[in-house]
Amino acid sequence: MELYLDSVDFKEIEAALDFGFVKGLTTTPTFMHRHGITDIDGAIVKLSKMVPELQVEALGETPDKIVAEAERILALGLEKPPVFKVPISNDGVKACQRLRARGYRVNVHLIYTLNQAYMALEAGASFICPLAGRMQDQGHDAIQLFEHCVDVIDRYGYDSKVMFSSVRYAEHVRQAMLTGVHVCTMPFSVMKSLCENTLTTLGTAQFREHTALMTMRVADLIRPENPVCKASETLTAAMVKMTESRLGAVTLVDAKGAVAGIFTDGDLRRRLQADGRNILDKTLAQIGFSKTPVTIARDRPLDEAVKLFKKHQVDSIVVVDGDKPCGALDIQDLVKLGLLGQEFL
């Protein structure tokens, strides 16, 4: 079943063509009106240069006028001859037969009955095009009509394709494939949803998570900021470093630069609640800090860091190179990657 886009939105068309296998574009005057297009001829010329195949309306009150409109469109200087869309009618099938005799392809559309489809087939239509959504809006069995059209073509050997149109949702595409139609034209909103599935999304996220856990190292995730303080520095200095780094902790180091502890934003809140603002000028040694921070070497697998976060229920882990801090892991970074759930925040 060939895939066509039903649109006149140039951005949508470019996005759809990026798939690489969209075979063509169907348009209608209604779409152009809704999209605010006033230069219809200019739009047709532009579209003909964008898509592998353009299907465009050729309207007229008589067969002669329909053919004349098709010839006028051809004279616009299109990239290649389009498929002319002609509504089903006695005049429409006459015009279809004449256009086919001149070597042009025709899509006879707005078909709602098998008898209409039969007349289009006899006229040599390249495509016959019932409208699923519109038929179903009126309570008709659109799917059965598509099945009958495919069966008639197969039974009598007509050289025509059945196009499934007026697609409203992804289920229509599934039904189109099951009926055996040759072409399905759809809005971009439906086209881009066809690969979507909740189970697929969950499975993909799980594969990415496990791949990251097996292949990424702690060093791949640590932030460039590495806020450190000495125990002799004030709480205010620690607050400034936490704010500037956008991390919720500073690492305490000794005189040799080795890890000596950690002071977190949780510690800050608890100290302020207990002792008030008078502690802002006190040193971290006077206030107190954790002398047993959770640490991990920078070359360790990320899986080990995840296990440490789960085990110790902390927000930050100090990353070390030897005994010196070289950065920090923030739990939010692992949550963003999907390696930890929101419940750990």
Side-chain angles (χ1 to χ4, degrees):
M1 184 177 75
E2 295 178 338
L3 175 63
Y4 281 56
L5 177 68
D6 199 21
S7 177
V8 293
D9 185 310
F10 294 110
K11 290 184 179 179
E12 283 187 350
I13 294 167
E14 289 176 351
L17 292 176
D18 193 47
F19 280 117
F21 47 81
V22 174
K23 296 297 191 296
L25 176 76
T26 54
T27 66
T28 68
T30 300
F31 280 175
M32 291 191 180
H33 173 71
R34 288 176 182 171
H35 205 64
I37 293 175
T38 54
D39 181 7
I40 295 178
D41 288 349
I44 291 172
V45 172
K46 182 175 179 178
L47 291 171
S48 75
K49 296 177 180 179
M50 295 178 65
V51 299
E53 176 184 277
L54 176 63
Q55 299 205 3
V56 62
E57 206 77 29
L59 293 173
E61 298 166 355
T62 67
D64 289 341
K65 290 182 178 180
I66 294 173
V67 173
E69 174 63 8
E71 296 287 0
R72 188 193 71 79
I73 292 172
L74 288 166
L76 295 175
L78 307 186
E79 190 75 11
K80 48 189 167 297
V83 174
F84 294 108
K85 295 175 64 180
V86 178
I88 183 68
S89 68
N90 288 337
D91 288 333
V93 294
K94 291 176 185 177
C96 173
Q97 194 277 330
R98 294 181 192 179
L99 288 169
R100 292 293 288 138
R102 299 186 187 195
Y104 304 131
R105 291 179 298 158
V106 180
N107 179 341
V108 179
H109 68 124
L110 294 177
I111 287 175
Y112 294 98
T113 70
L114 188 59
N115 288 340
Q116 289 177 322
Y118 167 66
M119 291 295 283
L121 292 170
E122 281 293 300
S126 308
F127 301 84
I128 59 171
C129 187
L131 285 78
R134 292 192 186 185
M135 287 188 67
Q136 290 172 342
D137 288 344
Q138 299 297 319
H140 299 296
D141 191 343
I143 304 306
Q144 185 181 66
L145 175 58
F146 284 109
E147 291 172 341
H148 288 170
C149 288
V150 171
D151 182 58
V152 167
I153 287 173
D154 291 343
R155 182 179 302 177
Y156 295 106
Y158 286 111
D159 187 21
S160 301
K161 294 180 178 180
V162 179
M163 176 179 281
F164 195 109
S165 69
S166 191
V167 169
R168 302 282 177 79
Y169 35 75
E171 174 61 14
H172 270 155
V173 181
R174 188 187 74 86
Q175 292 172 340
M177 288 186 285
L178 293 178
T179 61
V181 300
H182 310 93
V183 184
C184 186
T185 184
M186 66 193 71
F188 187 60
S189 59
V190 173
M191 184 182 296
K192 66 182 181 180
S193 74
L194 295 180
C195 288
E196 296 176 359
N197 182 276
T198 302
L199 295 177
T200 300
T201 301
L202 291 173
T204 302
Q206 188 178 61
F207 291 157
R208 287 175 176 167
E209 172 188 342
H210 291 162
T211 299
L213 291 173
M214 291 185 293
T215 61
M216 291 183 69
R217 299 286 167 176
V218 170
D220 297 326
L221 194 61
I222 60 174
R223 300 186 186 184
E225 298 82 10
N226 183 29
V228 296
C229 282
K230 294 181 179 179
S232 59
E233 293 186 68
T234 65
L235 175 57
T236 299
M239 290 170 57
V240 169
K241 291 181 180 182
M242 278 194 282
T243 302
E244 290 176 343
S245 67
R246 297 184 179 180
L247 287 167
V250 292
T251 303
L252 275 294
V253 294
D254 60 20
K256 295 181 180 181
V259 175
I262 190 171
F263 187 84
T264 69
D265 53 4
D267 295 328
L268 171 62
R269 288 191 297 271
R270 286 188 289 272
R271 299 296 191 276
L272 285 172
Q273 288 172 355
D275 302 316
R277 296 170 57 89
N278 62 334
I279 65 171
L280 293 177
D281 293 326
K282 290 186 178 182
T283 66
L284 294 174
Q286 292 172 319
I287 296 170
F289 55 87
S290 172
K291 296 181 181 180
T292 56
V294 180
T295 63
I296 189 169
R298 60 178 284 116
D299 61 348
R300 300 309 301 160
L302 204 54
D303 186 36
E304 288 188 20
V306 171
K307 292 176 181 177
L308 287 175
F309 275 115
K310 290 180 177 179
K311 177 181 178 180
H312 295 283
Q313 299 289 301
V314 294
D315 292 335
S316 299
I317 295 177
V318 178
V319 181
V320 294
D321 187 358
D323 61 354
K324 293 180 172 57
C326 59
L329 277 180
D330 191 288
I331 195 168
Q332 294 187 47
D333 294 330
L334 278 77
V335 171
K336 288 177 182 177
L337 283 177
L339 304 180
L340 286 170
Q342 292 284 339
E343 67 274 12
F344 286 94
L345 290 178

